[in-house]
């Protein structure tokens, strides 16, 4: 789910689209009544499918006199590409992908709902009875330039190593489990549910996971900033629907039914889905999401993500340094304040916390 695209292909797509009137910045900023939300299968994003299935999102949209069409996109990166070119108003993505795809392409976007952070859903597995430091000199298979790549870099840093100490083998997420089963592959970095399949194989060592860097791999609902500013009803409807579902998921009477639907829709059962939820720090409470978003730690995390992204050429060919793109958080701005392209807001989540939606 968390792969990166090739920069030149995205730049071409964005450049072509912005030349057309249909997706011009002016068109994006127009007040309107109909919107599109794209989502992809992942434990923390299944609530959007449930919101569509149950009519909860329609209920909230009706409250504010708008329509919201929900579209499932099986290719996660393609959904972000289409958001970047103006074909979706809101899309799910990680904090790193929000920076390196729409923001790096010059599209001003806002993280409307901070839904969760990975707390074990991403990890590194080695064959045999090994430790993280045993990666030195080895090849590691992962989706290059993805959050798995970022996780590996942070893992190596924790034991005084760097990417120079390993050889990264770019491997499609569709091929990772099969690759690890072969005799040629000794280590992988990946995410759930692939991670669960890898760790279930015999004679393996789970040497590092995202709970070792809590709060750094964040799952978001991102909205085009101009669209949100011109259409606050969209932000209210989306946020209201999200926290209604968060309440249902915590309910003793309805929670299992809701999660069973999400499990089936994502290709697992209730036990499997609950297992993935245990490795996900869901912000069921709007208060908790607001506190996380307002913390200075978020800006520090985005600095780490920006530095990794710059070192790997993901901020654009013209980026002179890691602070080229401004990232606005409630606690302050990291990067260039005159080039803010990614914003984290607590405004709508605070409305939910105050029961003002």
């Amino acid at each position: 789910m968390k792969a990166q695209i090739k920069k030149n292909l995205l730049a071409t797509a964005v450049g072509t689209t912005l030349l057309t009137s249909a997706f011009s910045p002016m068109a994006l900023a127009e007040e309107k009544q109909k919107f599109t939300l794209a989502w992809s299968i992942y434990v923390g994003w299944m609530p959007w499918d449930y919101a569509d299935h149950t009519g909860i999102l329609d209920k909230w949209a009706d409250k504010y006199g708008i329509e919201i069409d929900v579209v499932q996109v099986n290719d996660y990166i393609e959904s972000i590409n289409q958001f970047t070119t103006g074909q979706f108003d809101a899309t799910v993505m990680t904090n790193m992908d929000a920076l390196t795809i729409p923001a790096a392409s010059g599209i001003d976007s806002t993280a409307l709902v901070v839904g969760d952070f990975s707390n074990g859903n991403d990890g590194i597995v080695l064959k045999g009875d090994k430790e993280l430091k045993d990666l030195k000199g080895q090849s590691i298979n992962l989706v290059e330039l993805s959050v798995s790549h970022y996780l590996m870099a942070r893992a190596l840093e924790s034991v005084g190593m760097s990417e120079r100490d390993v050889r990264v083998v770019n491997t499609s997420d569709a091929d990772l489990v099969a690759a690890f089963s072969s005799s040629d592959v000794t280590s992988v970095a990946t995410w759930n549910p692939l991670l669960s399949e890898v760790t279930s194989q015999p004679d393996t060592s789970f040497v590092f996971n995202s709970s070792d860097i809590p709060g750094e791999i964040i799952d978001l609902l991102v909205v085009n900033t101009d669209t949100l500013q011109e259409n606050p009803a969209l932000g209210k409807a989306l946020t209201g629907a999200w926290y209604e579902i968060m309440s249902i998921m915590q309910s003793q009477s309805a929670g299992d039914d809701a999660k069973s639907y999400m499990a089936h829709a994502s290709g697992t059962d209730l036990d499997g889905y609950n297992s993935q939820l245990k490795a996900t720090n869901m912000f069921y409470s709007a208060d908790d999401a607001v506190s996380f978003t307002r913390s200075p730690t978020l800006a520090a995390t985005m600095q780490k993500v920006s530095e990794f992204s710059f070192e790997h050429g993901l901020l654009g060919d013209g980026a002179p340094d890691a602070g080229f793109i401004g990232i606005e958080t409630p606690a302050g701005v990291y990067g260039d304040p005159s080039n803010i392209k990614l914003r984290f807001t607590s405004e709508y989540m605070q409305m939910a916390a105050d029961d003002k939606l």
Side-chain angles (χ1 to χ4, degrees):
M1 87 145 193
K2 298 174 176 173
Q4 282 287 346
I5 56 167
K6 297 296 183 182
K7 296 181 296 175
N8 58 338
L9 293 178
L10 179 58
T12 300
V14 173
T16 300
T17 303
L18 294 180
L19 288 174
T20 66
S21 60
F23 302 130
S24 68
M26 185 63 71
L28 288 172
E30 292 175 354
E31 186 175 358
K32 55 184 183 177
Q33 270 70 49
K34 190 169 184 178
F35 305 90
T36 52
L37 159 66
W39 69 279
S40 302
I41 289 177
Y42 178 66
V43 56
W45 294 327
M46 297 312 298
W48 290 116
D49 182 37
Y50 183 75
D52 184 39
H53 169 73
T54 58
I56 289 173
L57 187 56
D58 286 339
K59 181 188 73 174
W60 281 90
D62 289 344
K63 178 177 180 178
Y64 291 103
I66 61 175
E67 295 180 48
I68 303 174
D69 287 339
V70 180
V71 180
Q72 179 183 348
V73 181
N74 291 328
D75 186 330
Y76 164 70
I77 289 300
E78 182 57 26
S79 72
I80 307 177
N81 290 347
Q82 292 183 37
F83 169 82
T84 300
T85 56
Q87 296 176 59
F88 296 121
D89 299 297
T91 312
V92 295
M93 63 189 80
T94 68
N95 54 321
M96 178 173 159
D97 292 328
L99 174 65
T100 61
I101 304 181
S105 301
I107 304 302
D108 193 328
S109 303
T110 297
L112 176 73
V113 175
V114 178
D116 69 84
F117 63 78
S118 176
N119 200 33
N121 266 323
D122 300 76
I124 299 173
V125 183
L126 277 68
K127 286 181 178 175
D129 185 10
K130 302 290 185 181
E131 298 178 0
L132 179 58
K133 63 183 180 180
D134 293 320
L135 263 179
K136 188 167 186 176
Q138 286 199 38
S139 295
I140 180 168
N141 291 61
L142 50 77
V143 179
E144 195 171 14
L145 306 181
S146 70
V147 292
S148 292
H149 198 155
Y150 173 79
L151 179 83
M152 181 206 70
R154 294 285 286 123
L156 294 173
E157 178 185 320
S158 73
V159 289
M161 293 162 57
S162 72
E163 289 189 53
R164 292 188 296 272
D165 294 307
V166 300
R167 185 170 73 88
V168 171
V169 180
N170 187 27
T171 308
S172 165
D173 55 335
D175 299 328
L176 270 169
V177 175
F180 192 68
S181 300
S182 72
S183 58
D184 296 334
V185 175
T186 59
S187 62
V188 298
T190 189
W191 54 80
N192 271 324
L194 304 178
L195 183 62
S196 296
E197 293 186 56
V198 170
T199 54
S200 68
Q201 296 189 25
D203 194 26
T204 59
S205 298
F206 194 7
V207 298
F208 192 89
N209 67 68
S210 49
S211 69
D212 296 308
I213 51 168
E216 294 192 27
I217 299 176
I218 312 167
D219 298 314
L220 311 167
L221 177 69
V222 176
V223 182
N224 179 278
T225 298
D226 289 338
T227 300
L228 181 62
Q229 289 178 349
E230 293 294 325
N231 303 275
L234 175 62
K236 292 177 181 179
L238 289 169
T239 308
W242 177 261
Y243 285 108
E244 180 172 340
I245 297 164
M246 292 300 99
S247 178
I248 291 171
M249 290 178 71
Q250 289 189 292
S251 165
Q252 289 186 345
S253 59
D256 281 351
D257 286 343
K259 288 184 282 188
S260 291
Y261 172 83
M262 297 178 204
H264 179 74
S266 61
T268 186
D269 56 19
L270 181 59
D271 287 342
Y273 190 70
N274 279 331
S275 177
Q276 293 179 42
L277 281 174
K278 287 179 181 178
T280 309
N281 193 107
M282 294 292 296
F283 292 120
Y284 293 107
S285 161
D287 282 320
D288 290 343
V290 168
S291 296
F292 179 85
T293 305
R294 290 181 177 175
S295 169
T297 303
L298 176 59
T301 291
M302 292 312 299
Q303 178 175 348
K304 293 186 182 78
V305 173
S306 295
E307 290 169 350
F308 171 88
S309 300
F310 174 70
E311 290 168 4
H312 292 80
L314 299 176
L315 298 185
D317 293 334
D321 53 49
F324 174 64
I325 296 173
I327 303 170
E328 182 182 78
T329 76
V333 173
Y334 169 74
D336 186 351
S338 66
N339 187 37
I340 293 175
K341 297 299 179 185
L342 178 58
R343 305 168 194 268
F344 289 81
T345 181
S346 59
E347 178 183 0
Y348 293 87
M349 296 185 294
Q350 185 64 61
M351 290 181 193
D354 295 338
D355 198 22
K356 292 182 177 180
L357 289 175

